[in-house]
Amino acid sequence: MDEKLSKVDPKLLDLLVCPLGKTRLTYDRQNNELISEAARLAYPIRDGIPIMLVSEARKIEN
C-alpha cells in the first residue's frame, strides 16, 4: 500500500462523523479505515478519500 494514499488529514478526521450514528470516528491505520464504534462499521479510505457511505462500510464483528 502506498503510504501517500493511506494518510488522512487530521483536520478532516475532526470534521467527519458516522453518517448513521452521527458519532466520532477513529482512524485505523493498519486497515486504512475510519471506524465507528457506536455503529460497529468501518468506512474504507480509497486513494486518500474516505468513503462515507453506509452501503460501502464493513460491519465490525466482535
Side-chain angles (χ1 to χ4, degrees), residues 16-46:
L16 290 175
V17 295
C18 174
L20 187 63
K22 308 295 187 245
T23 56
R24 190 172 180 90
L25 300 166
T26 56
Y27 177 49
D28 178 353
R29 184 181 310 253
Q30 182 177 352
N31 294 314
N32 202 34
E33 297 174 321
L34 294 176
I35 306 296
S36 170
E37 294 291 337
R40 306 294 299 154
L41 293 173
Y43 296 93
I45 300 170
R46 297 187 188 127

Side-chain angles (χ1 to χ4, degrees), residues 5 7-8 12 32 34 43-52:
L5 298 180
K7 291 189 178 181
V8 176
L12 181 61
N32 202 34
L34 294 176
Y43 296 93
I45 300 170
R46 297 187 188 127
D47 298 328
I49 300 168
I51 310 300
M52 302 305 298

